[in-house]
Amino acid sequence: MTSLAPVTSDPASDDVDVAAGLPRERGGWWHDLVCPAHGAELSHAGIPGPVPPAGGVRCPHGCVVDTELVRGAWLVLSHQAWARRARVLAHRAARTGDEGTRAQAVALLVAYADVYAEVAGGGEHERAQDWMLRGRLFHQALTDAIWAVSVGHAVWSLAEADPDRAGDLAPVLGMLDATAEAARAARGRLVADGRFTSNYTAWLNAAGRVCSRAAALVRGDREAPAVADDEWLAGEHGQLAHALAASTRGGWEWEASTYYHGFVVRAYLLSLRGTDPAALPAEARDRLVAMVDVLAGLATDGGVLPSVHDGPYSRPALALEWTELAALADGFVADAGLAAVAAHARTEAAAGDGDDEPTDGLEDELRRTTWFAGPPLAVARAPRPAVTVDEEVGIAVLRGAGIHAVLDHGPHGAGHGHHDKLALALFGRTAPWHPDPGQVPYGHPAWRAHYASAAAHPVVRVDDADPAEATGRLLARAERSLTVEVRGDATAWYDGARAVRHVVLGDGYLLDVAHARADRPRRLTLGLRPDVPLGVRVDGDVVRTAWRGAEALDGVHVARAGGPGGTVPVRAVVAPGPGPADDPQRERSHVDWAAEAARSATWVSVYQAEDDARGAEVTGVELDATEVRVHRADGAVDVHPLPTETTDD
């Protein structure tokens, strides 16, 4: 996972020497830019610039960290921010014809060619960790590829806009050729290792295609090869083959991570510059449309993209990437559905920049650039249903009653997966009532382990331990409900245990029924993990919750459990716990609703958004062996039969 740092000054300012501030050292691994004490990402102060701040890099909680790893991580983000600046300058110069902007862009790129030859010309980075796919300018070949895509597009824009002066970019040819060759070599290693579907491949292909095409333009080759003749796009291991191999038929990237899904889609769209979307092979074209649709379908009405599996929970630099992806998607497919995502991301990026708007303007330049050689694809879309499910990755989205719910029940997700089987995340338009917590930078192993754990997620736990990796399955699906399960055995989830979650969009509320069974008496727990202020009140046998924030949610809850001797108490215990992964030190109220020495437990929750006016207020909930009864303020009682899978068999 590699993100860009925002540019913090006007990239076209005449009084900025854009070449003087280039780092003249190799970068490391950006995930090491993390406070060893607090687990929070360190400051981006001084980025872009030549060297990290004197004395160390600051943590938002007051630490100052000065280590070789942190220095290398800071240099990664500085290099990436300079490459992004080159793109902005080049796009702007190509669009406006401004001579000063063009001169700055050319000077920056030529200076970077000197830096690359000086610090990366000696081969692979000797300080990379053994598990890494080694880069040249950075520890990771992936990081090299991301940087190279930005540099390549900057050259492409300048050479295409002014062919008669492309010769002034000749000094960058060695860098472009070297980065394309490095991308090819790294991709070959992935293929040889049986890792073609890695998200790295998407960026290596993008780097190869963009840098090759940019070099051709500098050399005066104005005719791009047809898609079918471009090995980086249509070759055996090219971008279109990767898109089909690394995603489901429904369009999800195979790891089912929100971040990595957007990560590869952005690489695909960046690599398709100059192509006509309608001329792409039909299967690949349709899959790319489906991948864009996945993001539109996952996002809340207010543009929040719930974090699923590995990926930042909230990060201003990542928000800039979402604005970039949205702009590219609008050029690829008409009505891409990401306008709210882009608007929310702009707000998030501006909050990180301390201003009203992100200041570098890349998104605006992309929207003003003719990126594709044909118009956006016109795709007929049916109205979005209340319940959507990708059964291959096991991600379900339910929309209704002012609540946006995401139910994760599929495969673990390999190295980017979390122990979150049957996690139910709840959002309003923008309120993160009950989210997946995301992940910290990987350079902090302790906090990374926590945020991948079952304890960090709103899931069923057995004996307060982490389960083995597991895959859940869909049991039943209807127009406004679905039922999923996960079973344990000697190699998966909790041995001898089983859990089922049944979620229903009711009349003005969402009903959640979680049920667990074990082959012997065990501690069975359902966790609630909010990212908003949470009030909890015990009212006889009922627990009432009040979830606040930008929007309000109320919950009414009841539970029962059984053990060898009969009924077992189920107690909701509130304790302070770490908030989501953008800042592990942000304290939130965690609820563990647990039954000790239980063979079975059933937890029923009814959630009602205060801003949703449909239906009378829910006043109470009753649970018996076969049904749930939801009581309303007007005296009505809604009866929901329990699926047989959620009863004690």
Side-chain angles (χ1 to χ4, degrees):
M1 180 171 66
T2 305
S3 293
L4 305 176
V7 177
T8 54
S9 61
D10 183 356
S13 175
D14 290 337
D15 60 357
V16 176
D17 183 348
V18 294
L22 291 180
R24 305 196 77 88
E25 298 178 61
R26 285 174 159 180
W29 190 38
W30 92 262
H31 286 280
D32 288 322
L33 197 78
V34 60
C35 177
H38 297 100
E41 185 173 348
L42 299 177
S43 170
H44 290 200
I47 293 172
V51 293
V57 184
R58 291 193 173 275
C59 159
H61 298 284
C63 303
V64 181
V65 188
D66 189 11
T67 66
E68 181 180 318
L69 292 177
V70 165
R71 180 185 179 88
W74 188 96
L75 287 166
V76 169
L77 297 183
S78 187
H79 276 295
Q80 297 283 18
W82 278 115
R84 182 181 175 98
R85 174 169 287 188
R87 281 181 71 195
V88 175
L89 288 166
H91 283 309
R92 190 168 298 167
R95 177 176 59 83
T96 65
D98 182 78
E99 286 295 324
T101 305
R102 186 181 190 281
Q104 284 192 325
V106 172
L108 174 53
L109 291 164
V110 170
Y112 236 136
D114 289 340
V115 170
Y116 189 87
E118 174 187 338
V119 306
E124 293 181 348
H125 203 310
E126 71 281 354
R127 294 184 182 177
Q129 297 177 46
D130 289 342
W131 63 268
M132 292 178 172
L133 188 66
R134 289 175 182 264
R136 298 184 181 185
L137 186 57
F138 308 99
H139 282 184
Q140 292 263 49
L142 172 63
T143 320
D144 277 59
I146 296 168
W147 173 87
V149 168
S150 287
V151 169
H153 275 306
V155 176
W156 185 328
S157 294
L158 295 170
E160 186 175 59
D162 196 346
D164 293 339
R165 289 196 290 174
D168 60 7
L169 291 162
V172 309
L173 286 172
M175 176 174 63
L176 294 176
D177 292 342
T179 51
E181 184 275 328
R184 187 188 307 281
R187 185 185 67 178
R189 292 195 295 274
L190 287 177
V191 171
D193 291 342
R195 298 170 58 200
F196 172 61
T197 58
S198 166
N199 60 75
Y200 287 33
T201 307
W203 281 95
L204 294 169
N205 278 330
R209 203 264 168 160
V210 170
C211 291
S212 297
R213 184 68 196 126
L217 287 166
V218 173
R219 292 185 170 104
D221 184 358
R222 314 304 301 170
E223 277 300 318
V227 169
D229 298 326
D230 190 327
E231 63 141 329
W232 293 107
L233 296 180
E236 180 184 4
H237 300 119
Q239 211 64 312
L240 303 181
H242 184 265
L244 293 173
S247 65
T248 68
R249 292 183 298 275
W252 262 100
E253 192 265 348
W254 69 274
E255 296 164 296
S257 154
T258 307
Y259 173 79
Y260 285 103
H261 182 91
F263 189 60
V264 299
V265 173
R266 190 161 57 95
Y268 297 151
L269 298 179
L270 285 168
S271 65
L272 287 170
R273 183 177 185 176
T275 66
D276 182 350
L280 297 176
E283 186 179 13
R285 180 191 65 220
D286 293 347
R287 184 65 58 85
L288 291 172
V289 171
M291 296 188 84
V292 172
D293 286 348
V294 159
L295 292 171
L298 180 66
T300 71
D301 291 345
V304 176
L305 280 168
S307 177
V308 181
H309 296 176
D310 265 5
Y313 176 73
S314 175
R315 188 170 186 255
L318 173 58
L320 289 180
E321 297 177 10
W322 290 125
T323 66
E324 178 188 9
L325 190 156
L328 294 168
D330 281 340
F332 185 76
V333 58
D335 301 321
L338 298 180
V341 170
H344 184 269
R346 283 193 298 272
T347 300
E348 187 175 33
D353 196 33
D355 204 345
D356 292 334
E357 289 287 342
T359 55
D360 70 349
L362 177 60
E363 176 201 4
D364 293 334
E365 293 300 334
L366 290 173
R367 292 189 182 279
R368 295 167 178 167
T369 297
T370 303
W371 194 262
F372 298 101
L377 296 166
V379 178
R381 293 185 175 90
R384 196 178 302 282
V387 178
T388 60
V389 187
D390 187 308
E391 295 188 32
E392 290 182 71
V393 297
I395 301 294
V397 179
L398 301 92
R399 298 169 179 265
I403 298 172
H404 185 98
V406 180
L407 181 58
D408 183 356
H409 61 279
H412 183 76
H416 294 133
H418 291 179
H419 294 297
D420 56 1
K421 289 303 121 245
L422 309 194
L424 181 67
L426 303 175
F427 295 82
R429 281 183 54 83
T430 59
W433 292 317
H434 200 221
D436 183 292
Q439 185 55 276
V440 297
Y442 297 163
H444 200 297
W447 278 116
R448 186 183 182 192
H450 167 77
Y451 284 107
S453 73
H457 290 83
V459 295
V460 171
R461 307 197 310 276
V462 178
D463 294 335
D464 285 332
D466 267 347
E469 294 183 9
T471 297
R473 68 188 183 107
L474 178 69
L475 295 180
R477 175 183 177 185
E479 183 180 355
R480 296 180 62 83
S481 69
L482 74 163
T483 307
V484 297
E485 74 156 358
V486 61
R487 289 179 179 266
D489 57 29
T491 60
W493 204 55
Y494 298 99
D495 187 21
R498 171 182 182 244
V500 177
R501 203 149 196 170
H502 176 62
V503 185
V504 180
L505 289 170
D507 180 17
Y509 58 83
L510 182 140
L511 169 66
D512 170 38
V513 180
H515 177 77
R517 285 191 60 79
D519 60 356
R520 58 189 183 277
R522 305 175 80 167
R523 177 179 167 86
L524 303 178
T525 305
L526 178 67
L528 304 182
R529 297 293 183 261
D531 187 29
V532 294
L534 178 68
V536 180
R537 177 167 59 91
V538 176
D539 184 7
D541 293 334
V542 172
V543 175
R544 300 182 184 274
T545 56
W547 312 64
R548 294 305 178 248
E551 302 146 86
L553 180 75
D554 292 320
V556 183
H557 316 261
V558 66
R560 68 159 186 254
T567 301
V568 175
V570 188
R571 296 186 174 91
V573 176
V574 184
D582 59 318
D583 185 0
Q585 305 308 312
R586 185 171 68 247
E587 187 176 285
R588 292 302 190 200
S589 294
H590 288 191
V591 179
D592 279 345
W593 202 2
E596 305 285 352
R599 294 282 299 271
S600 68
T602 302
W603 303 268
V604 174
S605 301
V606 178
Y607 295 104
Q608 194 165 34
E610 286 193 358
D611 290 343
D612 188 85
R614 288 169 294 176
E617 179 185 357
V618 173
T619 57
V621 180
E622 292 181 296
L623 168 68
D624 66 21
T626 61
E627 64 185 25
V628 173
R629 293 180 291 278
V630 179
H631 294 263
R632 315 293 288 264
D634 60 3
V637 179
D638 299 344
V639 178
H640 296 273
L642 289 174
T644 56
E645 295 87 359
T646 62
T647 58
D648 294 341
D649 46 20

